[in-house]
Amino acid sequence: MEEKKVRQVHESQEERQHVRVKLQGSLRLRMQSPVKGIFSLEDVSLGGLSFIAGQVNLTPGTLCHGEIVFRLGRANLSMPISFKVIYQQADSQRVGGQYTVIDQQNTDLLRLLISNYLAGELTELDDVIDNMKRENYVATRKNKQQAAGRTFWDRARAMSVSILFFVAGLLAFLFVAWKLYQHAFLTHAEDAWVSLPGKTVLMPENGYVQLLIPEGTTQVEQGQPLLTVSSRLVARLNNGVLLDSLDPKQVRALVDAAVFDVTLNSPCDCEIAELQVQDGEFVHKDNVLMKLVDPSGPVSITALFSGNAASLDAGVGETVTVRYLDGETDGSATITQLVRDEESGLLRMQISGSRELPSSAQNQPVSVTVHPAWLPVL
């Protein structure tokens, strides 16, 4: 009789899908299974289990339902499972099964028991509770829907908003830089005004004024009669002129009757900047009658600065920048005098401008800026 040869296959530890450990526990089969009862566990892994079925016959492919029970101190840990019978050994009545249904939480608990067993540690009830509370898996990311392609108008609007914010940021930067530039390098006058060369006509005596120039005249020539001042003799007598040879009554009559006329002529070829009297008006002595300005003369500008000469960092002969009310700028104005003003206590700077101005610019406020010669004024 020919002897039947049996090929033996030895399974190594590395070829196994899951590590098998011998944990103390039992298997309870429920009513839904072909059989029911309590069986002793042989070993257990994350993929399946084996137990001793005794006299119970379970054919391969049988689907069983039950729970694995582990003893943890004074408490029992129960894990509901479903498994399919893979094999049953006839000599030892050992049955092996593969899990078909086991939830994720029980898998984590089983992994904890196996890890502690392999590490030589005891699993306590607190470890099981902490494992059940802990989030052992990263939540699945939500699938982001791909945005639809943007239209031309969407792209144009996005570009416009980007350009708008860029321009706003650039303007803010330039404004701050301009302020820092002015604060660090420029010195502005506290007050400044235009002073044109001219003459002031004063009232010589108390009396009446008669204008000799047509109404609306703005220019006069040198020697041209401007006005006539009519005053009585009593005004001159009050100034110290005495008539000792006359009787008091005669003197009074003479004084009341005598009237003197004085004609005032223009001292230059000038423009009338200001006429402060009217025809036939009575004016007291030394009052201003009119102001004449010579537009052909050099323009002078008076500026007042706070501080001292060292902090001003400017001297006679250096150039400053003058900005007029009409927006024109004179960058070649030269400092002609720098003294301390007695009335205000400020530094008074006399500046010679290179621009010709009309008579209406007399006493016109201007802006004067002192800056280093190598640095322009913006």
Side-chain angles (χ1 to χ4, degrees):
M1 182 177 179
E2 186 178 356
E3 190 175 325
K4 185 177 181 181
K5 296 181 179 180
V6 179
R7 183 182 180 186
Q8 295 182 355
V9 178
H10 298 277
E11 183 182 21
S12 64
Q13 184 72 19
E14 289 76 7
E15 292 174 345
R16 294 177 181 176
Q17 186 177 3
H18 301 287
V19 178
R20 302 175 187 176
V21 295
K22 294 182 177 294
L23 295 179
Q24 295 296 328
S26 59
L27 174 63
R28 297 177 183 177
L29 296 181
R30 299 175 184 174
M31 293 294 295
Q32 295 85 352
S33 302
V35 294
K36 63 178 181 177
I38 301 176
F39 304 93
S40 178
L41 282 178
E42 280 292 307
D43 55 32
V44 66
S45 68
L46 294 178
L49 77 167
S50 64
F51 61 94
I52 302 301
Q55 301 299 324
V56 178
N57 185 21
L58 294 174
T59 59
T62 304
L63 186 62
C64 300
H65 305 280
E67 57 185 12
I68 303 175
V69 180
F70 296 102
R71 185 71 177 175
L72 299 178
R74 297 183 180 180
N76 291 333
L77 177 61
S78 177
M79 299 180 185
I81 61 169
S82 296
F83 64 93
K84 182 177 65 173
V85 177
I86 302 300
Y87 66 90
Q88 184 176 10
Q89 296 178 356
D91 52 351
S92 62
Q93 298 299 319
R94 178 174 175 173
V95 178
Q98 181 181 6
Y99 300 135
T100 58
V101 177
I102 181 171
D103 58 15
Q104 192 66 52
Q105 188 176 22
N106 289 333
T107 302
D108 296 337
L109 292 177
L110 193 58
R111 181 181 290 109
L112 174 65
L113 295 174
I114 295 174
S115 299
N116 289 348
Y117 177 84
L118 295 176
E121 299 177 356
L122 294 178
T123 303
E124 298 180 356
L125 186 60
D126 294 339
D127 299 333
V128 175
I129 295 175
D130 293 340
N131 185 275
M132 295 176 66
K133 290 181 178 179
R134 185 172 61 243
E135 184 68 30
N136 297 316
Y137 297 93
V138 179
T140 305
R141 294 183 179 180
K142 297 180 179 179
N143 294 329
K144 296 183 179 180
Q145 297 181 355
Q146 294 184 355
R150 291 186 296 178
T151 62
F152 172 77
W153 295 111
D154 293 337
R155 296 178 183 273
R157 181 172 55 185
M159 180 63 70
S160 301
V161 173
S162 301
I163 293 176
L164 179 62
F165 277 97
F166 172 76
V167 172
L170 182 61
L171 292 178
F173 171 77
L174 293 178
F175 177 77
V176 173
W178 178 61
K179 286 294 184 181
L180 292 176
Y181 158 79
Q182 286 192 328
H183 179 75
F185 299 104
L186 305 183
T187 304
H188 298 278
E190 298 289 338
D191 192 14
W193 62 90
V194 177
S195 299
L196 296 177
K199 303 291 182 179
T200 301
V201 181
L202 302 179
M203 186 68 175
E205 300 288 347
N206 296 337
Y208 293 90
V209 176
Q210 181 180 2
L211 298 178
L212 301 179
I213 55 177
E215 184 179 356
T217 302
T218 58
Q219 294 184 350
V220 293
E221 298 178 355
Q222 183 175 5
Q224 178 181 348
L226 300 177
L227 47 83
T228 299
V229 177
S230 300
S231 61
R232 295 184 181 275
L233 182 60
V234 66
R236 300 202 173 192
L237 295 179
N238 289 338
N239 289 336
V241 179
L242 300 178
L243 300 176
D244 298 334
S245 60
L246 298 179
D247 184 75
K249 293 183 178 179
Q250 295 177 344
V251 171
R252 173 60 58 186
L254 179 62
V255 168
D256 292 340
V259 176
F260 292 88
D261 292 334
V262 178
T263 301
L264 301 181
N265 299 327
S266 174
C268 60
D269 296 334
C270 303
E271 294 182 1
I272 301 176
E274 187 176 356
L275 181 62
Q276 298 185 359
V277 295
Q278 297 181 356
D279 192 16
E281 181 182 356
F282 182 83
V283 182
H284 293 280
K285 182 180 178 181
D286 294 334
N287 283 3
V288 178
L289 298 178
M290 65 175 60
K291 293 182 179 180
L292 304 178
V293 175
D294 185 6
S296 61
V299 177
S300 178
I301 298 171
T302 304
L304 299 178
F305 291 86
S306 59
N308 51 36
S311 62
L312 186 59
D313 194 19
V316 178
E318 297 183 2
T319 59
V320 295
T321 300
V322 180
R323 190 182 301 275
Y324 298 91
L325 287 181
D326 57 1
E328 294 292 332
T329 301
D330 184 6
S332 59
T334 306
I335 301 175
T336 58
Q337 186 182 27
L338 184 62
V339 295
R340 177 71 64 177
D341 188 71
E342 297 180 357
E343 296 182 1
S344 62
L346 302 176
L347 288 176
R348 179 163 56 87
M349 179 185 295
Q350 293 298 131
I351 304 169
S352 175
S354 60
R355 180 186 177 187
E356 294 185 1
L357 297 175
S359 59
S360 59
Q362 178 71 356
N363 296 327
Q364 185 181 84
V366 294
S367 174
V368 177
T369 305
V370 178
H371 58 91
W374 54 269
L375 189 67
V377 178
L378 300 180

